[in-house]
């Protein structure tokens, strides 16, 4: 891990502070310049031109400030250790929709952090069966569906891990096949004679 990646949040916080001070200073200096121009008898066109320049510079600084602040908050959210988040399907679904609408949010993995685990779903199903809310047949059917979903999720995540290995294996096989099909130097010498 590089120094920059370890201290990214401090650098972003410093950039937020600097751009905030510059934006406020620009607006303050601009107001003084506009008031001095009005008091000094400058034309309205010159004053409005100065004010437009000051406002455009301030707008750029505010935009940079907002961008640095958002980057700072995202960095803090990534660094945050949230070990005991409550499992909640509604919250997980909400974050999943937000991640689809704003793809950079998916880097935070909040939908996965709030998703209800298979063990919790199994416990809830067992409680419903013990309480008499569902029959034994319905319990068995829902348990089979739950286990099938867990197997699909496990196979999907294992497939994500295996794919790079398969691609690397295919590259090695292709390179080996190309090396095997290339004529050897003795074959080339015999063909030349």
């Amino acid at each position: 891990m590089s120094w920059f990646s370890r201290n990214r949040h401090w650098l972003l916080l410093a950039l937020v502070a600097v751009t905030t001070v510059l934006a406020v200073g620009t607006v303050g200096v601009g107001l003084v310049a506009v008031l001095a121009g009005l008091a000094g008898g400058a034309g309205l066109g010159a004053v409005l031109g100065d004010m437009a320049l000051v406002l455009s510079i301030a707008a750029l600084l505010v935009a940079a400030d907002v961008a640095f602040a958002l980057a700072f908050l995202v960095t803090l959210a990534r660094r945050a250790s949230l070990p005991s988040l409550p499992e909640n399907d509604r919250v997980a679904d909400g974050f999943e929709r937000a991640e689809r609408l704003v793809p950079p949010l998916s880097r935070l993995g909040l939908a996965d952090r709030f998703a209800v685990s298979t063990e919790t779903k199994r416990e809830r199903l067992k409680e419903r069966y013990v309480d008499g809310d569902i029959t034994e047949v319905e319990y068995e059917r829902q348990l089979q569906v739950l286990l099938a979903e867990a197997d699909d999720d496990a196979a999907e995540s294992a497939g994500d891990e295996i794919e790079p290995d398969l691609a690397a294996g295919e590259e090695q096989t292709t390179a080996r096949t190309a090396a095997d099909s290339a004529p050897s130097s003795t074959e080339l010498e015999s063909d030349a004679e």
Side-chain angles (χ1 to χ4, degrees):
M1 184 178 271
S2 70
W3 180 88
F4 177 75
S5 59
R6 282 192 313 268
N7 295 305
R8 179 179 296 153
H9 59 288
W10 293 114
L11 293 171
L12 289 169
L13 183 60
L15 288 170
V16 167
V18 168
T19 53
T20 301
V21 168
L22 287 174
V24 170
T26 301
V27 170
V29 169
L31 284 175
V32 169
V34 167
L35 291 175
L38 289 174
L44 186 60
V47 171
L48 290 177
D50 290 344
M51 190 169 63
L53 177 65
V54 168
L55 289 177
S56 62
I57 292 171
L60 288 173
L61 288 170
V62 168
D65 194 28
V66 169
F68 290 139
L70 288 174
F72 174 69
L73 292 175
V74 167
T75 303
L76 283 183
R78 283 186 190 160
R79 293 177 58 94
S81 176
L82 305 171
S84 60
L85 291 174
E87 295 178 343
N88 190 326
D89 282 330
R90 288 184 182 172
V91 174
D93 290 341
F95 278 121
E96 191 173 316
R97 277 188 238 111
E99 288 173 358
R100 274 187 261 131
L101 292 174
V102 183
L105 286 179
S106 62
R107 293 183 201 162
L108 299 176
L110 293 174
D112 294 336
R113 288 187 181 187
F114 282 96
V116 178
S117 67
T118 304
E119 294 81 24
T120 302
K121 289 179 182 178
R122 187 183 293 176
E123 288 298 319
R124 288 179 184 171
L125 187 61
K126 185 188 287 186
E127 288 175 12
R128 288 181 58 204
Y129 173 65
V130 169
D131 291 343
D133 294 340
I134 57 174
T135 65
E136 183 177 356
V137 173
E138 184 65 19
Y139 170 76
E140 291 292 329
R141 187 187 67 74
Q142 289 184 12
L143 185 61
Q144 292 299 323
V145 169
L146 180 64
L147 294 175
E149 286 175 3
D151 288 343
D152 290 343
D153 291 344
E156 185 177 304
S157 65
D160 292 343
E161 295 170 6
I162 292 173
E163 285 179 16
D165 294 338
L166 290 175
E170 288 175 8
E171 290 173 8
Q172 290 175 353
T173 304
T174 305
R176 194 175 313 125
T177 304
D180 290 345
S181 64
S184 66
S185 60
T186 55
E187 290 175 352
L188 290 174
E189 288 174 6
S190 65
D191 288 343
E193 294 176 0

